[in-house]
Amino acid sequence: MFRWLLYTCLLIHTTLLAAEPGKDTVVVSPAVKQQWQALQADDDLAGWIYERINYTTADPAHRLPVLTGTEKEAWRKPRTDEDYGAWLDLLVNLGYYQLYTGNILSSIHYYEKAWQFYKTVQPDQYDVEEYILQPLGNNYTRLGDYESALYIQEQCLALAKGKQDTRLIVAAYGNMAVLRRSQGHWQRAIALCELGLPYAENNPPVHGLLLNTLGDIAFDQQQYDRAREYNKMALQQFKSVSPAPHVAYWMESAYVLAGRLETALGNYPAALQYFRQALAITEQHFKGGRQREKAKIQVYTGHALLAQKQVSTAQQAYQQALKILLPPFRITGTGVLPEESWLYAENTLQDALEGLSATYYEQGNTILALKSMDLCLAATAKLRNEFAGIDSRALLQQENRRRIELAMRIAYHAYQTTGQNSYAQRMLQYAEQGKAQLLLDEIRRNIAYAALKDKDSLFRRMQHVEQALAYYGQEAAQEKDISKNNSGALAYEMSVLQRKLQDKYPALLQSSRLTTLQCDTLLQRLPANLETILCFAGQTQWFFLHANRNGVQTVYTIDSVSQWQQQCRSFVQKYFKQGPGAMINAPQQYYADAWQLYTKLFPHQQWKADKTYLLLTDDVLGYVPLDALVTDSIYQPVISAWPFLVKQANISYGYSLQSWQQLRGRPAGTGGFTGFFITHDSSHRRIPAVVREQEELQENVQGKFIANNAATLTHFEQALQQTNILHISSHAGLYGPQHEPALELADGNFPLSALTAQLHAPRLVVLSACRTADGWLMQGEGVQSLSWGFAAAGIPGVIAGLWNVNDAGAASFMPHFYADLQQQQSPGTALRNAKLQWLTEQQNNPVLSLPYYWAGWVYMGVPQSLSITAPVKWYNWWIVGGVLLLAGSVWWWRRKPTYQNN
C-alpha cells in the first residue's frame, strides 16, 4: 500500500532537523510547480496531494511549509474515496511531521482533524487505529492529558478487537496500562497488562512491551527486584527479533528503565551505560528524530551524574537536553539560559530546567538556580493550559509541588545567609504557584462563563458537557452502576472544546507563571488591618510566611515532617472526629496537646486586637481547628477561662492569596436569605435540633425557608443562582470510590462535582451540617470539601463544619451568628463573636465550653458586609394596628362635636 510505503520512508528518514522559526517560505522549482498545476487542471486532487507529500518528504526540514499550506491551496473539497484517503494521509503526515520536529500541540491538532474527518467519511480499508488513534493517544500521553489519551486508546482497542488485529490489541492494552500507571492506578495498570499478555504469546516484541510496562509499574511501586526481572525479560524478547523501527523504540524504553533502576539502586556507572545504549539506539534508528526521547535520556543521565556529585557534567547533560528541545538555544558559555518565550508545553522541558537549577544550587549560584526554576515554572504553566481534565491537572500539581519545594529551599537558604527580604518575597511567589492552582483555574473559568453566558455556543456546549459529567459524578458518588455511561467520550469532548476556546480566546482561560511584580501587587491589595500567615507543606520541610500589605515580615520552618503530620492527625482524630469523649475524660491532657501544637505552629506570634488574620493552610493543617488551641502553658480547671486562640485573634481561612483575591473581586450579589432544612432523618423520625434551628432562625432572619420534601435538588440549584445568603441545615458525607463530599437533600445527594457548572453564586453559604469542611486531601489544593467546591463556583464566603457538629449546638449557635451578621459585621467576625458568646453562656454546663462543641465551624472566605434583616414580629403588626385604631378614634371623637353643631 502506498500509505505504508510512505510511512516506512518517514520512519527511516535520517536527515530531519528542527526548522528554524520564521522560515516558512519555500522556493519551489518551476518544473515541480508545472507538475502540480497539471494535476490541478485534471482535477486530480488525490494525485496533487500525494505529490506535495512526496516533495516534502525529500527535505522535510525546509519543505514542511508546503505541506502545511496544502489544505488552504486545495481548489476543492474531497469527494471520492481516493480523495478521502489522500486527505487523511495529508492530515496524518502533518501530525507526524509536527511531532517529529517537536511541535506536539500542532501534532495533536492535525491528528484530531484526521480523526474527525475519518468519522465523517469513514473510507474503506484505512488503518485508522495505527495511523490516527495510536499516535493521537500517545501525544496526549506525552502531554500528560491522561483522560483524553485513555478515551482514544479505548476507541483504538474496540476497533482492533473488531478487526482481530492482535498486534494492535496488545499495543492498546499496553498504552492503556501506561496511562493508568501515570495516574498512579497501579493495580488497574497491572490488570490491563495481564489482559494483553494472552494476545502477545507468539509476538516477542509486543510481549516485551507489556513486560517492560510491568517493570515500569513495579519501579513506581519501588519494587526494584521485580522491576529488574520484568526489564530483563523484556530486553530478551526485543533482542530475539530484528530491530524494526517500532521494536527499536520499545528497546530504547527498556534500556531507559534499566538505567533508572540502577540509578535508584545507587549503581551509577551501570545506569550511565544503559543510558548510553538507549541513546545509541535512538541515534541509529531515528537520527534527527525522536527529539523528545533523546532529551529525556539526557535528563536521566543528568540525574545519575548529579547523584554522584559530578555537578558540572550533569549540568552539561541538562543543557544538552534543552538544546535538543529548544532549537534556538545555544550553549555559548557558563550561565546561559533559554528565553522564556521559547518554552512550550512539554514535561521534559520542566525536568531539564529543574535539574539545571539543582546543579547551579550545588555550585552555590543562587541567582542562576532561581532563574532556572522560574523558567521551569513557566513551562509548567504552559503545560497546565493544555489540560482539560482535573485529574491530569491534579497530577501535574503534585509533580510541581516537588519543584516548588526545591525553589523554596534555595530561596530560604539565600534568605538565611544574606538576610535580604527579597528572597522572602521570592518564597511567597513560589509558594503561591504551588497552592490551590486547580481552585484558581476553576474560579477563573466560572468568571469567564459568567462573562460569556449566552454569547458563545462553545461555552454553552461546554456547560452542557460539564453538567452531564457532574451527573455521572453524582451517580458514581451514590455508587450506582456507571458501566454504561459515556463519561469517557464526554471528557474527551471537554478536552477538544477547551482547546477550541483557548484558540478563540487565548487570553481568557490562560494561566501563567506568577511574576515578582504580580506577587507584590497581591500583597499591596490586602486590607490595611489584615495579616496573612501562609503555609507551604513540603515533603521534607514546612514553610510559614507571615505577610501583610508591606511585604513578608517573618519566615520560619517546621522540620521532621512525617512526625509533625502524624501529630496533627492524631490530635484531630482523638479529640474531635471520634467525639468529645477524650476531651471530657482528660481535659488537662487535651490542654497540654493543644499548647504543644500552638507553640509549634506560632512560635513567636504576637496577636493584635486591631488586626484580622487570614490563615492560608496546607496539607493536614486544613483539618486542625486553630481556634481551639491554647496560647498559654498554665492549665486552669475552668474551661471557659482557658486562653483559647479565638480569644486572642480573629481568624478566617483561605486556600491561596491568588484565589482569595479573585473571590474578593466578585461583584455584589442580589437576593436575600434562603434556608434549606431537613428536619427528619431517613426513617422519617423528627430531628428536634434541626426543627429548633429552623424555628429560631425564622424568628430572627427574614427570607425564604424550604424544608423537608421541598428541599429538592432542583430548588437547591435555583437557590444557588437567586439568593445572596444560602443556609443549609442538612447532613453531609463522603460517598463513592473517590470519597466525594455531598449534601443530603430530600431527593438525592448534591455532590461537589455538580458545583462546577454554576454560573452565578451567593455571597455567603452557611453549611450547618456535619463535616462540610471535611473531605479528602489533595496535595497542593488542601481538603477537597464542599467548602472547596463552593469556592470554586465563585462563592466569596463559606461557613462549614470540620467534624460531626452537634445538632443541638448548631441550633443554639447559629442564631448568635446571624444576630451579629445583622450588625453589618463580616461573616468571619460574626462567627468569632458567636463562639465567644457561646463560651460566656455555658456557665451552668462547663462541658459545653470544650472546643468540640463550638470550634468546628470555620469561615473560609473574604471580609464582606452583607445585608440581612430581622423579620417583623406578628405582634408588632397588632401593636401598629392598635396605635392606628386609637389615633383614628381620638381624631373621630374630637371631630364629633363639630359634626353635631353643623
Side-chain angles (χ1 to χ4, degrees):
M1 240 172 77
F2 182 81
R3 287 191 297 272
W4 175 253
L5 292 175
L6 175 61
Y7 240 79
T8 303
C9 292
L10 292 175
L11 287 170
I12 65 174
H13 186 69
T14 62
T15 61
L16 184 60
L17 298 173
E20 295 182 18
K23 302 292 185 180
D24 55 359
T25 302
V26 180
V27 179
V28 182
S29 69
V32 173
K33 284 185 177 180
Q34 187 175 1
Q35 184 182 12
W36 295 352
Q37 289 168 356
L39 290 167
Q40 183 173 350
D42 292 339
D43 198 32
D44 186 357
L45 180 63
W48 179 78
I49 289 172
Y50 283 125
E51 284 300 324
R52 291 172 73 95
I53 291 174
N54 290 336
Y55 177 81
T56 302
T57 302
D59 187 7
H62 300 98
R63 296 179 179 180
L64 187 55
V66 170
L67 208 60
T68 56
T70 301
E71 286 183 278
K72 186 176 181 181
E73 294 180 29
W75 64 91
R76 66 171 173 83
K77 296 181 179 180
R79 57 180 177 232
T80 67
D81 285 343
E82 188 178 9
D83 290 347
Y84 295 151
W87 197 266
L88 279 170
D89 282 336
L90 168 66
L91 296 174
V92 165
N93 277 276
L94 282 167
Y96 177 83
Y97 275 124
Q98 294 290 351
L99 175 63
Y100 217 72
T101 56
N103 195 338
I104 192 170
L105 298 180
S106 292
S107 178
I108 286 174
H109 168 74
Y110 284 115
Y111 279 125
E112 281 179 344
K113 289 186 70 172
W115 173 230
Q116 296 302 320
F117 186 74
Y118 173 85
K119 290 192 293 185
T120 301
V121 299
Q122 294 188 347
D124 295 333
Q125 298 182 343
Y126 194 90
D127 295 328
V128 62
E129 303 92 347
E130 183 161 357
Y131 292 157
I132 300 176
L133 291 180
Q134 281 199 357
L136 177 57
N138 290 338
N139 272 351
Y140 277 127
T141 303
R142 293 183 182 100
L143 199 60
D145 189 349
Y146 302 125
E147 293 97 333
S148 297
L150 190 62
Y151 171 75
I152 292 296
Q153 295 297 346
E154 287 171 348
Q155 303 305 302
C156 189
L157 178 62
L159 290 170
K161 284 185 173 181
K163 294 180 179 180
Q164 297 183 348
D165 188 325
T166 57
R167 186 175 66 85
L168 288 176
I169 290 172
V170 174
Y173 274 125
N175 289 332
M176 291 167 67
V178 169
L179 291 168
R180 289 303 189 188
R181 169 208 160 210
S182 299
Q183 292 176 315
H185 301 158
W186 294 322
Q187 295 306 315
R188 291 185 184 182
I190 292 171
L192 286 165
C193 287
E194 291 173 346
L195 287 172
L197 283 172
Y199 294 96
E201 289 179 353
N202 299 319
N203 193 327
V206 293
H207 192 191
L209 174 64
L210 291 177
L211 289 171
N212 201 58
T213 302
L214 287 168
D216 280 323
I217 298 166
F219 178 84
D220 291 345
Q221 295 175 302
Q222 298 183 354
Q223 299 175 0
Y224 297 133
D225 290 338
R226 178 178 293 182
R228 179 179 278 173
E229 182 181 349
Y230 281 129
N231 181 247
K232 285 183 177 179
M233 289 191 294
L235 283 169
Q236 289 172 358
Q237 295 288 327
F238 295 142
K239 291 176 181 179
S240 68
V241 296
S242 59
H246 66 281
V247 178
Y249 178 60
W250 295 341
M251 184 181 291
E252 174 262 323
S253 299
Y255 278 126
V256 168
L257 174 58
R260 295 178 67 203
L261 273 166
E262 298 304 330
T263 301
L265 294 169
N267 303 323
Y268 304 118
L272 292 172
Q273 178 60 30
Y274 280 125
F275 292 142
R276 282 192 288 269
Q277 288 178 276
L279 195 59
I281 289 175
T282 309
E283 289 291 351
Q284 178 183 350
H285 293 276
F286 310 106
K287 189 173 182 179
R290 298 292 181 188
Q291 301 293 72
R292 180 180 181 274
E293 284 72 18
K294 292 178 185 176
K296 190 167 283 294
I297 294 170
Q298 292 288 352
V299 168
Y300 288 137
T301 300
H303 292 347
L305 291 167
L306 188 59
Q308 297 179 81
K309 299 300 181 181
Q310 297 183 28
V311 179
S312 297
T313 313
Q315 193 172 96
Q316 293 171 11
Y318 294 130
Q319 289 174 332
Q320 189 61 33
L322 291 173
K323 184 179 178 181
I324 293 170
L325 294 170
L326 303 171
F329 180 55
R330 298 291 182 268
I331 307 171
T332 58
T334 304
V336 178
L337 294 174
E339 298 289 336
E340 186 170 335
S341 59
W342 299 344
L343 304 179
Y344 53 92
E346 168 57 54
N347 280 310
T348 310
L349 263 179
Q350 300 175 89
D351 296 335
L353 288 164
E354 179 190 0
L356 192 61
S357 176
T359 63
Y360 285 128
Y361 182 47
E362 287 290 331
Q363 292 173 339
N365 195 330
T366 301
I367 294 175
L368 284 178
L370 292 179
K371 283 184 177 180
S372 301
M373 190 54 68
D374 288 341
L375 291 171
C376 176
L377 297 177
T380 301
K382 290 178 180 293
L383 190 59
R384 190 171 66 250
N385 289 329
E386 303 304 324
F387 293 168
I390 193 169
D391 289 344
S392 295
R393 285 184 284 143
L395 284 170
L396 179 64
Q397 173 81 334
Q398 292 174 20
E399 294 171 4
N400 194 42
R401 292 273 293 190
R402 175 178 47 78
R403 301 184 178 101
I404 293 287
E405 185 176 2
L406 172 60
M408 295 281 283
R409 286 205 310 270
I410 296 171
Y412 184 57
H413 179 261
Y415 173 71
Q416 286 184 306
T417 54
T418 68
Q420 295 180 19
N421 201 59
S422 59
Y423 288 113
Q425 295 288 115
R426 224 28 199 277
M427 291 181 68
L428 178 66
Q429 176 185 340
Y430 291 135
E432 276 292 306
Q433 293 176 82
K435 289 178 67 67
Q437 292 297 295
L438 299 184
L439 176 62
L440 185 63
D441 289 344
E442 293 298 305
I443 294 171
R444 287 172 172 169
R445 190 177 59 163
N446 275 286
I447 292 173
Y449 282 176
L452 291 175
K453 183 190 176 185
D454 300 328
K455 295 180 182 179
D456 193 293
S457 59
L458 286 177
F459 267 97
R460 289 197 296 274
R461 176 58 187 167
M462 197 170 184
Q463 184 184 0
H464 294 154
V465 172
E466 272 205 310
Q467 289 169 340
L469 286 170
Y471 167 76
Y472 288 131
Q474 183 176 341
E475 295 288 293
Q478 296 177 5
E479 301 182 354
K480 295 183 179 180
D481 180 16
I482 57 172
S483 59
K484 296 181 181 180
N485 74 39
N486 63 338
S487 57
L490 289 172
Y492 176 69
E493 184 180 356
M494 274 288 294
S495 177
V496 174
L497 286 169
Q498 181 159 334
R499 293 182 199 285
K500 290 181 178 179
L501 286 167
Q502 287 175 348
D503 290 340
K504 192 172 183 179
Y505 306 105
L508 191 61
L509 297 175
Q510 295 286 305
S511 59
S512 59
R513 175 178 67 87
L514 182 67
T515 65
T516 303
L517 180 61
Q518 290 169 333
C519 190
D520 291 344
T521 302
L522 282 175
L523 291 179
Q524 291 163 7
R525 290 175 55 204
L526 292 175
N529 68 329
L530 183 74
E531 304 279 324
T532 181
I533 300 174
L534 179 146
C535 170
F536 180 88
Q539 293 180 349
T540 59
Q541 243 180 344
W542 279 29
F543 300 89
F544 291 84
L545 293 88
H546 188 160
N548 54 35
R549 68 191 312 176
N550 297 318
V552 178
Q553 304 302 307
T554 58
V555 180
Y556 57 96
T557 63
I558 292 178
D559 301 323
S560 304
V561 167
S562 297
Q563 180 181 348
W564 164 246
Q565 289 174 318
Q566 185 56 42
Q567 184 180 351
C568 290
R569 289 193 183 97
S570 297
F571 179 79
V572 172
Q573 191 71 23
K574 178 179 180 180
Y575 293 115
F576 297 100
K577 291 194 174 182
Q578 292 180 351
M583 199 180 293
I584 293 172
N585 295 328
Q588 194 164 354
Q589 183 60 51
Y590 168 81
Y591 191 100
D593 291 343
W595 166 246
Q596 187 179 22
L597 273 185
Y598 175 80
T599 55
K600 193 90 169 180
L601 282 170
F602 309 110
H604 308 294
Q605 182 66 45
Q606 297 293 322
W607 307 102
K608 299 178 182 179
D610 61 340
K611 299 290 185 180
T612 59
Y613 294 88
L614 172 64
L615 269 292
L616 304 173
T617 62
D618 201 358
D619 202 76
V620 295
L621 194 57
Y623 295 119
V624 178
L626 299 181
D627 280 346
L629 304 183
V630 293
T631 61
D632 193 286
S633 61
I634 301 175
Y635 174 79
Q636 50 185 309
V638 180
I639 299 171
S640 60
W642 286 1
F644 291 115
L645 181 54
V646 70
K647 297 180 179 181
Q648 302 292 322
N650 185 359
I651 296 174
S652 60
Y653 298 83
Y655 296 94
S656 71
L657 272 181
Q658 291 182 91
S659 60
W660 189 84
Q661 293 283 26
Q662 282 280 351
L663 292 173
R664 188 173 172 226
R666 295 285 283 167
T670 57
F673 170 95
T674 302
F676 282 76
F677 301 86
I678 304 296
T679 64
H680 293 71
D681 63 16
S682 57
S683 302
H684 304 289
R685 291 175 299 186
R686 194 168 178 265
I687 307 175
V690 179
V691 174
R692 179 185 165 195
E693 181 180 345
Q694 179 183 355
E695 292 173 348
E696 294 243 6
L697 290 183
Q698 283 180 306
E699 286 287 317
N700 293 279
V701 179
Q702 184 174 346
K704 297 178 181 178
F705 289 80
I706 302 171
N708 298 324
N709 292 337
T712 62
L713 291 166
T714 299
H715 286 156
F716 185 76
E717 290 168 358
Q718 291 172 352
L720 280 172
Q721 302 189 44
Q722 296 174 0
T723 192
N724 206 29
I725 300 175
L726 180 62
H727 182 100
I728 305 162
S729 184
S730 169
H731 282 278
L734 305 177
Y735 299 90
Q738 298 298 323
H739 304 290
E740 183 176 23
L743 281 170
E744 298 176 7
L745 296 174
D747 57 345
N749 296 334
F750 187 85
L752 179 149
S753 56
L755 291 169
T756 59
Q758 302 299 325
L759 291 176
H760 300 286
R763 295 291 301 181
L764 174 66
V765 171
V766 179
L767 298 166
S768 178
C770 57
R771 298 179 67 180
T772 46
D774 191 12
W776 56 280
L777 192 64
M778 182 187 291
Q779 190 177 19
E781 290 296 313
V783 180
Q784 297 297 282
S785 62
L786 282 165
S787 298
W788 190 97
F790 280 117
I795 295 172
V798 180
I799 289 178
L802 289 169
W803 55 82
N804 289 327
V805 179
N806 181 273
D807 286 332
S812 302
F813 187 89
M814 284 301 164
H816 293 323
F817 164 73
Y818 281 106
D820 284 320
L821 202 62
Q822 289 172 3
Q823 305 303 316
Q824 300 297 305
Q825 294 183 0
S826 171
T829 301
L831 182 64
R832 182 199 182 205
N833 289 342
K835 292 177 180 180
L836 295 175
Q837 188 170 353
W838 175 277
L839 287 171
T840 62
E841 289 180 349
Q842 306 307 324
Q843 303 299 327
N844 295 328
N845 190 353
V847 170
L848 293 179
S849 295
L850 288 169
Y852 176 84
Y853 295 98
W854 55 265
W857 288 285
V858 293
Y859 178 62
M860 307 283 296
V862 305
Q864 54 180 326
S865 179
L866 299 169
S867 176
I868 182 171
T869 58
V872 179
K873 308 293 185 181
W874 63 268
Y875 50 79
N876 288 341
W877 289 112
W878 281 104
I879 293 172
V880 171
V883 170
L884 291 175
L885 181 62
L886 179 61
S889 300
V890 171
W891 177 85
W892 182 84
W893 181 80
R894 289 181 175 178
R895 296 284 294 171
K896 183 177 180 181
T898 305
Y899 293 142
Q900 290 175 342
N901 291 336
N902 288 338

